[in-house]
Amino acid sequence: MVAPPETAPPDNDVLWARSLHYSHSGSPGLVGVSVGVRQGEILALTGPRGSGKTTLLRCLSGQLRPEQGEVWFNSVPVHTMGALARERLRRDRFGWIGPEPQLLPELKVWENAALPLLLAGASHRSAKHAACEWLERLDIGAFARKRPGALNRAECQRVALARALVNEPAVIFGDEPTAPLHRAERALLLRTLTTAARSHGITVVLATHDEETAAVADRRVPLLDGRPAATAPAAPEPPGPPAAETTEGQAACSLSA
Ligand SMILES: Nc1ncnc2c1ncn2[C@@H]1O[C@H](COP(=O)(O)OP(=O)(O)OP(=O)(O)O)[C@@H](O)[C@H]1O
């Protein structure tokens, strides 16, 4: 009998990553990040620009293979999978919503929303049915037969959300999903995403530097310079600024932490 690997993830973590390292053409993106995400949890990866949130999200979702470390989805080791298997995993079990909707302009709205199902080989009829149901739930059913060009930015982002939800994924990854939206649109998208996730038991991992977006999460994992913020090396002491500047600097630090 083959002994289970020593590093197998805890049972209640749907995603689990250990000691991830990744560099972009030699410059460090992730430096030893570990994180576990529980079933049904909404987790926010927070931190300033360039702190490694997107790189971590892409490693967790199988888009990037870490140079070192492990990523597990349930009991499946994602870090040892080949490109094709990771592609299938992403298509069948994961949903993705990025800062731009990235809809195909030549396809109708429902076809855009149905893409993961159509690519997985679902019948045209069942894919259309599922896509239209999600578009209705997200209050954009009326646009199903239009092209994306007829929709505004917030409506397009909701189509992207329908596409992320259409295969009822185990995990949705959101990379700054509210970035292109105004305040009211942002709140609506977040409410829609969290309601859909809670009602369908979908786990959500959000990368964001927006406080309002992070506030919907059950838990936050702050990153800094590609590391968990708590373990990032402290910045060198600046040479003694005037008292007023020190106060301002401290306020800026506490906002970005
Ligand atoms: N394709 C790339 N080529 C080179 N360096 C990259 C690339 N992508 C990311 N990096 C670098 O890796 C580090 C982490 O970037 P990453 O995009 O993961 O951070 P982030 O926290 O998501 O930032 P942002 O909010 O700006 O997207 C940064 O220093 C960034 O400049």
Side-chain angles (χ1 to χ4, degrees):
M1 197 173 115
V2 180
E6 283 177 9
T7 50
D11 283 347
N12 57 350
D13 279 353
V14 65
L15 272 174
W16 187 75
R18 192 180 71 89
S19 199
L20 297 182
H21 289 253
Y22 190 89
S23 59
H24 297 279
S25 323
S27 75
L30 292 178
V31 192
V33 175
S34 300
V35 64
V37 192
R38 289 186 287 275
Q39 168 66 44
E41 185 176 32
I42 298 180
L43 180 79
L45 307 174
T46 61
R49 288 195 183 281
S51 54
K53 305 181 297 292
T54 299
T55 308
L56 178 54
L57 209 62
R58 295 182 70 203
C59 283
L60 292 174
S61 63
Q63 289 179 44
L64 293 177
R65 193 144 77 165
E67 288 152 1
Q68 286 178 50
E70 302 173 12
V71 176
W72 293 75
F73 167 61
N74 292 325
S75 52
V76 179
V78 180
H79 56 286
T80 58
M81 284 181 176
L84 197 63
R86 281 185 285 124
E87 214 169 275
R88 254 192 236 122
L89 176 71
R90 293 202 327 258
R91 188 193 64 200
D92 297 341
R93 307 303 311 277
F94 296 163
W96 179 274
I97 176 164
E100 296 298 330
Q102 295 193 319
L103 304 179
L104 298 174
E106 60 276 14
L107 298 185
K108 291 179 182 154
V109 160
W110 80 259
E111 290 169 322
N112 270 284
L115 265 182
L117 296 175
L118 293 170
L119 292 172
S123 72
H124 187 271
R125 190 187 161 93
S126 67
K128 184 174 185 180
H129 181 74
C132 288
E133 265 192 1
W134 275 110
L135 293 170
E136 287 293 340
R137 280 179 212 153
L138 303 186
D139 285 335
I140 41 172
F143 299 122
R145 302 171 72 84
K146 295 195 186 303
R147 313 263 169 205
L151 277 60
N152 68 28
R153 205 173 33 169
E155 290 159 350
C156 284
Q157 197 63 340
R158 270 193 276 163
V159 179
L161 180 56
R163 183 181 56 197
L165 286 159
V166 77
N167 56 352
E168 302 213 356
V171 185
I172 287 188
F173 298 91
D175 186 10
E176 303 283 6
T178 56
L181 305 178
H182 295 306
R183 198 152 197 258
E185 298 168 342
R186 216 183 304 159
L188 179 63
L189 187 91
L190 287 172
R191 202 164 53 241
T192 311
L193 169 61
T194 51
T195 305
R198 301 272 191 224
S199 61
H200 288 74
I202 298 170
T203 303
V204 179
V205 188
L206 295 168
T208 186
H209 62 264
D210 171 49
E211 176 52 40
E212 205 178 323
T213 304
V216 304
D218 302 314
R219 190 163 58 95
R220 301 177 187 208
V221 173
L223 297 177
L224 193 60
D225 297 336
R227 304 165 198 265
T231 65
E237 283 288 315
E245 276 183 39
T246 307
T247 313
E248 196 181 321
Q250 282 168 349
C253 284
S254 63
L255 280 175
S256 66

PDB file of all heavy atoms in Angstrom, residues 127-162:
ATOM      1  N   ALA A 127     -26.497  24.229 -22.514  1.00  0.00           N
ATOM      2  CA  ALA A 127     -25.608  25.343 -22.177  1.00  0.00           C
ATOM      3  C   ALA A 127     -26.387  26.658 -22.217  1.00  0.00           C
ATOM      4  O   ALA A 127     -26.239  27.515 -21.338  1.00  0.00           O
ATOM      5  CB  ALA A 127     -24.431  25.385 -23.147  1.00  0.00           C
ATOM      6  N   LYS A 128     -27.247  26.797 -23.216  1.00  0.00           N
ATOM      7  CA  LYS A 128     -28.038  28.027 -23.340  1.00  0.00           C
ATOM      8  C   LYS A 128     -28.988  28.166 -22.151  1.00  0.00           C
ATOM      9  O   LYS A 128     -29.126  29.249 -21.566  1.00  0.00           O
ATOM     10  CB  LYS A 128     -28.828  28.012 -24.658  1.00  0.00           C
ATOM     11  CG  LYS A 128     -29.598  29.288 -24.888  1.00  0.00           C
ATOM     12  CD  LYS A 128     -30.238  29.307 -26.266  1.00  0.00           C
ATOM     13  CE  LYS A 128     -30.892  30.664 -26.514  1.00  0.00           C
ATOM     14  NZ  LYS A 128     -31.515  30.754 -27.820  1.00  0.00           N
ATOM     15  N   HIS A 129     -29.604  27.047 -21.794  1.00  0.00           N
ATOM     16  CA  HIS A 129     -30.550  27.056 -20.668  1.00  0.00           C
ATOM     17  C   HIS A 129     -29.834  27.510 -19.381  1.00  0.00           C
ATOM     18  O   HIS A 129     -30.320  28.401 -18.676  1.00  0.00           O
ATOM     19  CB  HIS A 129     -31.150  25.660 -20.508  1.00  0.00           C
ATOM     20  CG  HIS A 129     -32.137  25.574 -19.402  1.00  0.00           C
ATOM     21  ND1 HIS A 129     -33.402  26.120 -19.494  1.00  0.00           N
ATOM     22  CD2 HIS A 129     -32.050  25.048 -18.161  1.00  0.00           C
ATOM     23  CE1 HIS A 129     -34.047  25.929 -18.364  1.00  0.00           C
ATOM     24  NE2 HIS A 129     -33.249  25.281 -17.532  1.00  0.00           N
ATOM     25  N   ALA A 130     -28.681  26.895 -19.099  1.00  0.00           N
ATOM     26  CA  ALA A 130     -27.948  27.233 -17.862  1.00  0.00           C
ATOM     27  C   ALA A 130     -27.488  28.688 -17.897  1.00  0.00           C
ATOM     28  O   ALA A 130     -27.600  29.418 -16.901  1.00  0.00           O
ATOM     29  CB  ALA A 130     -26.752  26.299 -17.694  1.00  0.00           C
ATOM     30  N   ALA A 131     -26.973  29.124 -19.063  1.00  0.00           N
ATOM     31  CA  ALA A 131     -26.471  30.510 -19.154  1.00  0.00           C
ATOM     32  C   ALA A 131     -27.624  31.494 -18.952  1.00  0.00           C
ATOM     33  O   ALA A 131     -27.480  32.478 -18.206  1.00  0.00           O
ATOM     34  CB  ALA A 131     -25.810  30.731 -20.506  1.00  0.00           C
ATOM     35  N   CYS A 132     -28.752  31.233 -19.575  1.00  0.00           N
ATOM     36  CA  CYS A 132     -29.884  32.173 -19.460  1.00  0.00           C
ATOM     37  C   CYS A 132     -30.419  32.207 -18.032  1.00  0.00           C
ATOM     38  O   CYS A 132     -30.826  33.272 -17.547  1.00  0.00           O
ATOM     39  CB  CYS A 132     -30.974  31.824 -20.468  1.00  0.00           C
ATOM     40  SG  CYS A 132     -30.460  32.241 -22.161  1.00  0.00           S
ATOM     41  N   GLU A 133     -30.384  31.058 -17.356  1.00  0.00           N
ATOM     42  CA  GLU A 133     -30.822  31.049 -15.944  1.00  0.00           C
ATOM     43  C   GLU A 133     -29.952  31.971 -15.101  1.00  0.00           C
ATOM     44  O   GLU A 133     -30.447  32.753 -14.295  1.00  0.00           O
ATOM     45  CB  GLU A 133     -30.729  29.629 -15.391  1.00  0.00           C
ATOM     46  CG  GLU A 133     -32.039  28.899 -15.489  1.00  0.00           C
ATOM     47  CD  GLU A 133     -32.017  27.601 -14.687  1.00  0.00           C
ATOM     48  OE1 GLU A 133     -30.996  27.278 -14.034  1.00  0.00           O
ATOM     49  OE2 GLU A 133     -33.033  26.910 -14.761  1.00  0.00           O
ATOM     50  N   TRP A 134     -28.611  31.874 -15.305  1.00  0.00           N
ATOM     51  CA  TRP A 134     -27.708  32.732 -14.524  1.00  0.00           C
ATOM     52  C   TRP A 134     -27.872  34.197 -14.904  1.00  0.00           C
ATOM     53  O   TRP A 134     -27.853  35.072 -14.042  1.00  0.00           O
ATOM     54  CB  TRP A 134     -26.251  32.274 -14.666  1.00  0.00           C
ATOM     55  CG  TRP A 134     -25.924  31.194 -13.686  1.00  0.00           C
ATOM     56  CD1 TRP A 134     -25.680  29.877 -13.957  1.00  0.00           C
ATOM     57  CD2 TRP A 134     -25.865  31.322 -12.261  1.00  0.00           C
ATOM     58  NE1 TRP A 134     -25.460  29.195 -12.793  1.00  0.00           N
ATOM     59  CE2 TRP A 134     -25.567  30.052 -11.737  1.00  0.00           C
ATOM     60  CE3 TRP A 134     -26.028  32.385 -11.378  1.00  0.00           C
ATOM     61  CZ2 TRP A 134     -25.428  29.811 -10.373  1.00  0.00           C
ATOM     62  CZ3 TRP A 134     -25.898  32.151 -10.010  1.00  0.00           C
ATOM     63  CH2 TRP A 134     -25.601  30.886  -9.519  1.00  0.00           C
ATOM     64  N   LEU A 135     -28.064  34.449 -16.185  1.00  0.00           N
ATOM     65  CA  LEU A 135     -28.252  35.850 -16.605  1.00  0.00           C
ATOM     66  C   LEU A 135     -29.521  36.415 -15.966  1.00  0.00           C
ATOM     67  O   LEU A 135     -29.537  37.566 -15.518  1.00  0.00           O
ATOM     68  CB  LEU A 135     -28.320  35.935 -18.139  1.00  0.00           C
ATOM     69  CG  LEU A 135     -27.003  35.594 -18.865  1.00  0.00           C
ATOM     70  CD1 LEU A 135     -27.229  35.475 -20.379  1.00  0.00           C
ATOM     71  CD2 LEU A 135     -25.921  36.641 -18.585  1.00  0.00           C
ATOM     72  N   GLU A 136     -30.568  35.605 -15.879  1.00  0.00           N
ATOM     73  CA  GLU A 136     -31.816  36.043 -15.207  1.00  0.00           C
ATOM     74  C   GLU A 136     -31.542  36.338 -13.742  1.00  0.00           C
ATOM     75  O   GLU A 136     -31.950  37.370 -13.215  1.00  0.00           O
ATOM     76  CB  GLU A 136     -32.892  34.945 -15.291  1.00  0.00           C
ATOM     77  CG  GLU A 136     -33.518  34.754 -16.661  1.00  0.00           C
ATOM     78  CD  GLU A 136     -34.358  35.948 -17.111  1.00  0.00           C
ATOM     79  OE1 GLU A 136     -34.781  36.749 -16.249  1.00  0.00           O
ATOM     80  OE2 GLU A 136     -34.562  36.092 -18.329  1.00  0.00           O
ATOM     81  N   ARG A 137     -30.856  35.407 -13.060  1.00  0.00           N
ATOM     82  CA  ARG A 137     -30.563  35.593 -11.630  1.00  0.00           C
ATOM     83  C   ARG A 137     -29.745  36.855 -11.392  1.00  0.00           C
ATOM     84  O   ARG A 137     -29.850  37.474 -10.344  1.00  0.00           O
ATOM     85  CB  ARG A 137     -29.779  34.401 -11.080  1.00  0.00           C
ATOM     86  CG  ARG A 137     -30.655  33.217 -10.763  1.00  0.00           C
ATOM     87  CD  ARG A 137     -29.803  32.062 -10.241  1.00  0.00           C
ATOM     88  NE  ARG A 137     -30.421  30.816 -10.646  1.00  0.00           N
ATOM     89  CZ  ARG A 137     -29.787  29.676 -10.846  1.00  0.00           C
ATOM     90  NH1 ARG A 137     -28.500  29.596 -10.664  1.00  0.00           N
ATOM     91  NH2 ARG A 137     -30.435  28.600 -11.210  1.00  0.00           N
ATOM     92  N   LEU A 138     -28.902  37.196 -12.343  1.00  0.00           N
ATOM     93  CA  LEU A 138     -28.054  38.376 -12.183  1.00  0.00           C
ATOM     94  C   LEU A 138     -28.713  39.624 -12.780  1.00  0.00           C
ATOM     95  O   LEU A 138     -28.057  40.657 -12.971  1.00  0.00           O
ATOM     96  CB  LEU A 138     -26.678  38.153 -12.818  1.00  0.00           C
ATOM     97  CG  LEU A 138     -25.882  36.942 -12.302  1.00  0.00           C
ATOM     98  CD1 LEU A 138     -24.486  36.906 -12.904  1.00  0.00           C
ATOM     99  CD2 LEU A 138     -25.759  36.959 -10.787  1.00  0.00           C
ATOM    100  N   ASP A 139     -30.016  39.502 -13.105  1.00  0.00           N
ATOM    101  CA  ASP A 139     -30.808  40.647 -13.600  1.00  0.00           C
ATOM    102  C   ASP A 139     -30.324  41.202 -14.934  1.00  0.00           C
ATOM    103  O   ASP A 139     -30.464  42.399 -15.193  1.00  0.00           O
ATOM    104  CB  ASP A 139     -30.813  41.801 -12.568  1.00  0.00           C
ATOM    105  CG  ASP A 139     -31.729  41.485 -11.409  1.00  0.00           C
ATOM    106  OD1 ASP A 139     -32.661  40.689 -11.624  1.00  0.00           O
ATOM    107  OD2 ASP A 139     -31.491  42.016 -10.313  1.00  0.00           O
ATOM    108  N   ILE A 140     -29.756  40.342 -15.767  1.00  0.00           N
ATOM    109  CA  ILE A 140     -29.362  40.807 -17.097  1.00  0.00           C
ATOM    110  C   ILE A 140     -29.901  39.844 -18.171  1.00  0.00           C
ATOM    111  O   ILE A 140     -29.387  39.790 -19.292  1.00  0.00           O
ATOM    112  CB  ILE A 140     -27.822  40.973 -17.247  1.00  0.00           C
ATOM    113  CG1 ILE A 140     -27.076  39.818 -16.566  1.00  0.00           C
ATOM    114  CG2 ILE A 140     -27.363  42.323 -16.727  1.00  0.00           C
ATOM    115  CD1 ILE A 140     -25.601  39.824 -16.833  1.00  0.00           C
ATOM    116  N   GLY A 141     -30.975  39.132 -17.793  1.00  0.00           N
ATOM    117  CA  GLY A 141     -31.596  38.184 -18.726  1.00  0.00           C
ATOM    118  C   GLY A 141     -32.060  38.861 -20.007  1.00  0.00           C
ATOM    119  O   GLY A 141     -32.024  38.265 -21.091  1.00  0.00           O
ATOM    120  N   ALA A 142     -32.466  40.117 -19.893  1.00  0.00           N
ATOM    121  CA  ALA A 142     -33.003  40.833 -21.060  1.00  0.00           C
ATOM    122  C   ALA A 142     -31.954  41.047 -22.144  1.00  0.00           C
ATOM    123  O   ALA A 142     -32.272  41.303 -23.298  1.00  0.00           O
ATOM    124  CB  ALA A 142     -33.556  42.185 -20.614  1.00  0.00           C
ATOM    125  N   PHE A 143     -30.668  40.935 -21.771  1.00  0.00           N
ATOM    126  CA  PHE A 143     -29.591  41.181 -22.739  1.00  0.00           C
ATOM    127  C   PHE A 143     -29.092  39.892 -23.409  1.00  0.00           C
ATOM    128  O   PHE A 143     -28.158  39.932 -24.211  1.00  0.00           O
ATOM    129  CB  PHE A 143     -28.385  41.839 -22.052  1.00  0.00           C
ATOM    130  CG  PHE A 143     -28.686  43.166 -21.429  1.00  0.00           C
ATOM    131  CD1 PHE A 143     -28.474  43.380 -20.073  1.00  0.00           C
ATOM    132  CD2 PHE A 143     -29.172  44.219 -22.193  1.00  0.00           C
ATOM    133  CE1 PHE A 143     -28.746  44.602 -19.491  1.00  0.00           C
ATOM    134  CE2 PHE A 143     -29.446  45.450 -21.617  1.00  0.00           C
ATOM    135  CZ  PHE A 143     -29.236  45.644 -20.269  1.00  0.00           C
ATOM    136  N   ALA A 144     -29.693  38.758 -23.065  1.00  0.00           N
ATOM    137  CA  ALA A 144     -29.121  37.456 -23.473  1.00  0.00           C
ATOM    138  C   ALA A 144     -28.828  37.366 -24.973  1.00  0.00           C
ATOM    139  O   ALA A 144     -27.816  36.799 -25.372  1.00  0.00           O
ATOM    140  CB  ALA A 144     -30.053  36.330 -23.041  1.00  0.00           C
ATOM    141  N   ARG A 145     -29.687  37.953 -25.805  1.00  0.00           N
ATOM    142  CA  ARG A 145     -29.525  37.797 -27.253  1.00  0.00           C
ATOM    143  C   ARG A 145     -28.741  38.951 -27.893  1.00  0.00           C
ATOM    144  O   ARG A 145     -28.545  38.987 -29.097  1.00  0.00           O
ATOM    145  CB  ARG A 145     -30.887  37.655 -27.921  1.00  0.00           C
ATOM    146  CG  ARG A 145     -31.676  36.465 -27.366  1.00  0.00           C
ATOM    147  CD  ARG A 145     -33.085  36.459 -27.875  1.00  0.00           C
ATOM    148  NE  ARG A 145     -33.127  36.101 -29.287  1.00  0.00           N
ATOM    149  CZ  ARG A 145     -33.130  34.858 -29.744  1.00  0.00           C
ATOM    150  NH1 ARG A 145     -33.117  33.847 -28.903  1.00  0.00           N
ATOM    151  NH2 ARG A 145     -33.164  34.606 -31.025  1.00  0.00           N
ATOM    152  N   LYS A 146     -28.333  39.913 -27.052  1.00  0.00           N
ATOM    153  CA  LYS A 146     -27.560  41.050 -27.586  1.00  0.00           C
ATOM    154  C   LYS A 146     -26.070  40.704 -27.619  1.00  0.00           C
ATOM    155  O   LYS A 146     -25.637  39.710 -27.033  1.00  0.00           O
ATOM    156  CB  LYS A 146     -27.777  42.283 -26.708  1.00  0.00           C
ATOM    157  CG  LYS A 146     -29.202  42.806 -26.704  1.00  0.00           C
ATOM    158  CD  LYS A 146     -29.233  44.202 -26.121  1.00  0.00           C
ATOM    159  CE  LYS A 146     -30.626  44.740 -25.958  1.00  0.00           C
ATOM    160  NZ  LYS A 146     -31.434  44.773 -27.176  1.00  0.00           N
ATOM    161  N   ARG A 147     -25.297  41.564 -28.301  1.00  0.00           N
ATOM    162  CA  ARG A 147     -23.834  41.424 -28.279  1.00  0.00           C
ATOM    163  C   ARG A 147     -23.295  42.291 -27.142  1.00  0.00           C
ATOM    164  O   ARG A 147     -23.931  43.294 -26.767  1.00  0.00           O
ATOM    165  CB  ARG A 147     -23.210  41.904 -29.587  1.00  0.00           C
ATOM    166  CG  ARG A 147     -23.909  41.384 -30.809  1.00  0.00           C
ATOM    167  CD  ARG A 147     -23.257  40.160 -31.393  1.00  0.00           C
ATOM    168  NE  ARG A 147     -24.170  39.617 -32.399  1.00  0.00           N
ATOM    169  CZ  ARG A 147     -24.213  38.368 -32.793  1.00  0.00           C
ATOM    170  NH1 ARG A 147     -23.384  37.491 -32.277  1.00  0.00           N
ATOM    171  NH2 ARG A 147     -25.068  37.958 -33.701  1.00  0.00           N
ATOM    172  N   PRO A 148     -22.123  41.952 -26.606  1.00  0.00           N
ATOM    173  CA  PRO A 148     -21.567  42.717 -25.477  1.00  0.00           C
ATOM    174  C   PRO A 148     -21.465  44.217 -25.748  1.00  0.00           C
ATOM    175  O   PRO A 148     -21.580  45.021 -24.826  1.00  0.00           O
ATOM    176  CB  PRO A 148     -20.185  42.102 -25.279  1.00  0.00           C
ATOM    177  CG  PRO A 148     -20.306  40.726 -25.825  1.00  0.00           C
ATOM    178  CD  PRO A 148     -21.279  40.801 -26.953  1.00  0.00           C
ATOM    179  N   GLY A 149     -21.282  44.601 -27.010  1.00  0.00           N
ATOM    180  CA  GLY A 149     -21.144  46.015 -27.356  1.00  0.00           C
ATOM    181  C   GLY A 149     -22.358  46.846 -26.961  1.00  0.00           C
ATOM    182  O   GLY A 149     -22.254  48.072 -26.824  1.00  0.00           O
ATOM    183  N   ALA A 150     -23.510  46.194 -26.783  1.00  0.00           N
ATOM    184  CA  ALA A 150     -24.738  46.930 -26.436  1.00  0.00           C
ATOM    185  C   ALA A 150     -24.853  47.136 -24.924  1.00  0.00           C
ATOM    186  O   ALA A 150     -25.798  47.790 -24.462  1.00  0.00           O
ATOM    187  CB  ALA A 150     -25.954  46.159 -26.948  1.00  0.00           C
ATOM    188  N   LEU A 151     -23.923  46.595 -24.152  1.00  0.00           N
ATOM    189  CA  LEU A 151     -24.029  46.646 -22.688  1.00  0.00           C
ATOM    190  C   LEU A 151     -23.012  47.639 -22.120  1.00  0.00           C
ATOM    191  O   LEU A 151     -21.956  47.867 -22.719  1.00  0.00           O
ATOM    192  CB  LEU A 151     -23.725  45.273 -22.087  1.00  0.00           C
ATOM    193  CG  LEU A 151     -24.857  44.247 -22.050  1.00  0.00           C
ATOM    194  CD1 LEU A 151     -25.377  43.921 -23.444  1.00  0.00           C
ATOM    195  CD2 LEU A 151     -24.379  42.975 -21.360  1.00  0.00           C
ATOM    196  N   ASN A 152     -23.332  48.198 -20.948  1.00  0.00           N
ATOM    197  CA  ASN A 152     -22.343  49.053 -20.293  1.00  0.00           C
ATOM    198  C   ASN A 152     -21.343  48.182 -19.514  1.00  0.00           C
ATOM    199  O   ASN A 152     -21.493  46.959 -19.435  1.00  0.00           O
ATOM    200  CB  ASN A 152     -23.007  50.138 -19.428  1.00  0.00           C
ATOM    201  CG  ASN A 152     -23.711  49.566 -18.210  1.00  0.00           C
ATOM    202  OD1 ASN A 152     -23.332  48.508 -17.695  1.00  0.00           O
ATOM    203  ND2 ASN A 152     -24.744  50.244 -17.739  1.00  0.00           N
ATOM    204  N   ARG A 153     -20.342  48.862 -18.932  1.00  0.00           N
ATOM    205  CA  ARG A 153     -19.244  48.142 -18.280  1.00  0.00           C
ATOM    206  C   ARG A 153     -19.716  47.254 -17.129  1.00  0.00           C
ATOM    207  O   ARG A 153     -19.298  46.108 -16.982  1.00  0.00           O
ATOM    208  CB  ARG A 153     -18.274  49.197 -17.756  1.00  0.00           C
ATOM    209  CG  ARG A 153     -16.883  48.782 -17.594  1.00  0.00           C
ATOM    210  CD  ARG A 153     -16.050  49.962 -17.249  1.00  0.00           C
ATOM    211  NE  ARG A 153     -16.822  50.922 -16.431  1.00  0.00           N
ATOM    212  CZ  ARG A 153     -16.315  51.959 -15.799  1.00  0.00           C
ATOM    213  NH1 ARG A 153     -15.040  52.203 -15.901  1.00  0.00           N
ATOM    214  NH2 ARG A 153     -17.056  52.759 -15.073  1.00  0.00           N
ATOM    215  N   ALA A 154     -20.626  47.791 -16.319  1.00  0.00           N
ATOM    216  CA  ALA A 154     -21.101  47.025 -15.161  1.00  0.00           C
ATOM    217  C   ALA A 154     -21.908  45.818 -15.613  1.00  0.00           C
ATOM    218  O   ALA A 154     -21.815  44.730 -15.019  1.00  0.00           O
ATOM    219  CB  ALA A 154     -21.939  47.922 -14.254  1.00  0.00           C
ATOM    220  N   GLU A 155     -22.697  45.995 -16.677  1.00  0.00           N
ATOM    221  CA  GLU A 155     -23.480  44.862 -17.200  1.00  0.00           C
ATOM    222  C   GLU A 155     -22.544  43.804 -17.776  1.00  0.00           C
ATOM    223  O   GLU A 155     -22.755  42.599 -17.575  1.00  0.00           O
ATOM    224  CB  GLU A 155     -24.466  45.379 -18.254  1.00  0.00           C
ATOM    225  CG  GLU A 155     -25.589  46.210 -17.650  1.00  0.00           C
ATOM    226  CD  GLU A 155     -26.288  47.144 -18.646  1.00  0.00           C
ATOM    227  OE1 GLU A 155     -25.800  47.308 -19.791  1.00  0.00           O
ATOM    228  OE2 GLU A 155     -27.310  47.741 -18.265  1.00  0.00           O
ATOM    229  N   CYS A 156     -21.481  44.254 -18.478  1.00  0.00           N
ATOM    230  CA  CYS A 156     -20.510  43.299 -19.031  1.00  0.00           C
ATOM    231  C   CYS A 156     -19.839  42.515 -17.898  1.00  0.00           C
ATOM    232  O   CYS A 156     -19.611  41.306 -18.011  1.00  0.00           O
ATOM    233  CB  CYS A 156     -19.436  44.026 -19.838  1.00  0.00           C
ATOM    234  SG  CYS A 156     -20.022  44.557 -21.443  1.00  0.00           S
ATOM    235  N   GLN A 157     -19.533  43.190 -16.786  1.00  0.00           N
ATOM    236  CA  GLN A 157     -18.872  42.510 -15.681  1.00  0.00           C
ATOM    237  C   GLN A 157     -19.826  41.472 -15.067  1.00  0.00           C
ATOM    238  O   GLN A 157     -19.396  40.431 -14.594  1.00  0.00           O
ATOM    239  CB  GLN A 157     -18.376  43.535 -14.646  1.00  0.00           C
ATOM    240  CG  GLN A 157     -17.338  43.027 -13.661  1.00  0.00           C
ATOM    241  CD  GLN A 157     -15.997  42.588 -14.284  1.00  0.00           C
ATOM    242  OE1 GLN A 157     -15.894  42.311 -15.471  1.00  0.00           O
ATOM    243  NE2 GLN A 157     -14.966  42.506 -13.474  1.00  0.00           N
ATOM    244  N   ARG A 158     -21.130  41.770 -15.111  1.00  0.00           N
ATOM    245  CA  ARG A 158     -22.088  40.764 -14.613  1.00  0.00           C
ATOM    246  C   ARG A 158     -22.187  39.563 -15.551  1.00  0.00           C
ATOM    247  O   ARG A 158     -22.407  38.437 -15.118  1.00  0.00           O
ATOM    248  CB  ARG A 158     -23.463  41.406 -14.384  1.00  0.00           C
ATOM    249  CG  ARG A 158     -23.559  41.932 -12.955  1.00  0.00           C
ATOM    250  CD  ARG A 158     -24.961  42.280 -12.575  1.00  0.00           C
ATOM    251  NE  ARG A 158     -25.275  43.626 -13.031  1.00  0.00           N
ATOM    252  CZ  ARG A 158     -26.495  44.118 -13.137  1.00  0.00           C
ATOM    253  NH1 ARG A 158     -27.533  43.365 -12.842  1.00  0.00           N
ATOM    254  NH2 ARG A 158     -26.689  45.353 -13.542  1.00  0.00           N
ATOM    255  N   VAL A 159     -22.001  39.800 -16.855  1.00  0.00           N
ATOM    256  CA  VAL A 159     -21.952  38.663 -17.800  1.00  0.00           C
ATOM    257  C   VAL A 159     -20.726  37.802 -17.480  1.00  0.00           C
ATOM    258  O   VAL A 159     -20.790  36.568 -17.466  1.00  0.00           O
ATOM    259  CB  VAL A 159     -21.893  39.155 -19.270  1.00  0.00           C
ATOM    260  CG1 VAL A 159     -21.815  37.963 -20.224  1.00  0.00           C
ATOM    261  CG2 VAL A 159     -23.093  40.032 -19.601  1.00  0.00           C
ATOM    262  N   ALA A 160     -19.602  38.485 -17.172  1.00  0.00           N
ATOM    263  CA  ALA A 160     -18.391  37.738 -16.803  1.00  0.00           C
ATOM    264  C   ALA A 160     -18.636  36.921 -15.535  1.00  0.00           C
ATOM    265  O   ALA A 160     -18.135  35.804 -15.392  1.00  0.00           O
ATOM    266  CB  ALA A 160     -17.221  38.699 -16.607  1.00  0.00           C
ATOM    267  N   LEU A 161     -19.435  37.485 -14.629  1.00  0.00           N
ATOM    268  CA  LEU A 161     -19.764  36.744 -13.402  1.00  0.00           C
ATOM    269  C   LEU A 161     -20.660  35.534 -13.729  1.00  0.00           C
ATOM    270  O   LEU A 161     -20.448  34.437 -13.199  1.00  0.00           O
ATOM    271  CB  LEU A 161     -20.450  37.684 -12.401  1.00  0.00           C
ATOM    272  CG  LEU A 161     -20.854  37.069 -11.069  1.00  0.00           C
ATOM    273  CD1 LEU A 161     -19.650  36.437 -10.361  1.00  0.00           C
ATOM    274  CD2 LEU A 161     -21.482  38.130 -10.153  1.00  0.00           C
ATOM    275  N   ALA A 162     -21.615  35.742 -14.638  1.00  0.00           N
ATOM    276  CA  ALA A 162     -22.471  34.614 -15.057  1.00  0.00           C
ATOM    277  C   ALA A 162     -21.607  33.511 -15.671  1.00  0.00           C
ATOM    278  O   ALA A 162     -21.815  32.317 -15.410  1.00  0.00           O
ATOM    279  CB  ALA A 162     -23.519  35.097 -16.059  1.00  0.00           C
TER     280      ALA A 162
END
